[in-house]
Amino acid sequence: MNFYFEAAKVLDKLDSKKGSIKGIIATVAEKDRKRTAALVIETLKYKPVLNEVLDATKLLKEERKITSRNLALLLIHDLLLANGIQAGDGPIKQGVLRHKTRLHGEFTRIKIKRGAKTNAELAQTDDSRAAHIPRYVRVNRNCWTVEDAIETFGSRGYELADPLTSIKAFAKDKHIPDLLAFHPQVQFVEDALYKEGKIILQDKASCFPAHVLAPPADEGSVVIDATAAPGNKTSHLSALMGNKGKLFAFERDRKRFSTLKMMLSKARCRNVEAVNADFLMTSPTDEKFSKVTHILLDPSCSGSGIVNRMDHLLESEPQNDEGQKRLAKLASFQLMMIRHAMKFPSVKRIAYSTCSIHAIENERVVRQSLETPEALDGHFVLAPQADVLPTWHRRGLTEEMSSPDDAQSLVRCSPDGDATNGFFVCLFVKRAAGGDAPAVTSKRRIEDETTDTTHKKRHKRRKKAVSDAQRAS
């Protein structure tokens, strides 16, 4: 029964919007990961039907020992749609089996009502947009070269062509030099190249932050990835740095930290020091971090841009007051992350990204960041379009920014037309102290300066905001 309890925890985290299906399942112990993933995904596919069965039978009201709705859904799934509940006899299993006849009866009634001839017809289908997103594979330059990778795939019968036209076609990406695109149906999780860390399965848009940050491949480089797990962006940074210098990878969650370390080891990232700590609680003047020049920020977000073969099964962000409050808390947390990054004395470049489509987490956070004391006193501005994927066509929302130029400095990705997940990226750069400072004296800056009069107030506000954001994420 422990297996079902662990799977229920995954569903609980998904309900709480604590990450994507792939990200949360990655935290499950490796020995149980594949089995847990299969059960969770199949249960999500049938979740609307299983919920209807559960409510119609009043199982939770009559069986008080079954206190978790998600646990009940998992058990009912295996009873009705698999080979039965795979657990020893116990009060919870027996509680479900007492209602076996009624559960089957309600399931059959729903099947007839919906005109389904097979169980599969009751399942939620794949998001149609996923069929137009290639299977992206980033070549890990810590292990080998893109040329070697292309030669290897060629020896397997793959040909350089439009990856959407054939299962044996693949292409070099136009924007990310290390990225290859394959047909959406191609699988690599059992491939030796993936298991050896030679290839990283990473969506194209997720490669943008490290590419835009562009840390130098130099022994003197000092870089921070502020929210590193599961480690795809960290390994990308490491490869761009040529495994040179020092890359600090922060992750405060203990389980995700373990996942991060395993991933970095597999990807042969020798210049990374994983730090099991909260980036926000790190002192910018700490001697260990005071020389950091590049920071990657990919903080918790709503995940509203994620469109893949699994996450469409999750309920979308509610467009009610509760949903808007959660977005506001996330935006507050995101702004706090940027402001903290700007306090590092040697930082020159800060890449900020989300997998969100909401302006409140993207353009509005950036606009507010530019008006903070940290940005104004530190001479931070947005890098021009020429330095931020200049040939990418989809830019920021003009109506959300102070100027058209600022909007052009931002990058947006849309799952509806860009063959990627929804994503947002920008780059803050520190201008030379003698340059023209932005002429901004806003009401928000005055309020910030007033609020920041004492260290005690700053600490209190930060602690509360972090707590709220962590509850929301």
Side-chain angles (χ1 to χ4, degrees), residues 192-357:
L193 296 175
Y194 172 70
K195 292 182 177 180
E196 293 169 8
K198 287 188 171 183
I199 60 173
I200 309 293
L201 305 183
Q202 187 173 0
D203 184 67
K204 174 176 178 173
S206 178
C207 296
F208 284 178
H211 177 77
V212 166
L213 187 63
D218 184 271
E219 291 296 350
S221 295
V222 187
V223 181
I224 281 179
D225 184 350
T227 51
N232 285 346
K233 296 181 184 68
T234 314
S235 65
H236 194 188
L237 288 170
S238 175
L240 291 174
M241 296 169 69
N243 242 331
K244 299 175 181 178
K246 174 65 75 172
L247 172 55
F248 296 103
F250 282 82
E251 177 51 54
R252 62 181 177 84
D253 183 85
R254 196 171 296 174
K255 283 190 176 181
R256 287 173 61 82
F257 181 69
S258 296
T259 302
L260 171 67
K261 289 198 296 183
M262 286 190 291
M263 197 278 180
L264 295 176
S265 175
K266 185 172 78 170
R268 306 180 203 180
C269 300
R270 297 184 300 275
N271 67 333
V272 180
E273 179 179 332
V275 183
N276 188 194
D278 189 337
F279 171 71
L280 279 175
M281 298 297 111
T282 302
S283 171
T285 57
D286 186 318
E287 186 177 351
K288 191 174 184 179
F289 308 115
S290 61
K291 295 181 180 179
V292 167
T293 58
H294 292 62
I295 298 178
L296 190 148
L297 298 175
D298 187 56
S300 299
C301 73
S302 63
S304 54
I306 296 175
V307 175
N308 57 33
R309 295 152 190 81
M310 296 186 292
D311 285 297
H312 70 283
L313 299 172
L314 305 178
E315 294 180 8
S316 59
E317 191 71 39
Q319 299 302 309
N320 53 25
D321 289 346
E322 194 61 34
Q324 293 304 311
K325 286 180 182 177
R326 179 174 178 270
L327 288 176
K329 287 180 179 179
L330 286 168
S332 176
F333 175 70
Q334 292 151 2
L335 176 62
M336 191 182 309
M337 290 283 281
I338 295 173
R339 294 182 68 175
H340 188 63
M342 289 178 175
K343 293 176 182 176
F344 284 72
S346 301
V347 70
K348 297 176 181 177
R349 296 165 71 92
I350 301 169
Y352 170 70
S353 63
T354 75
C355 51
S356 171
I357 60 173

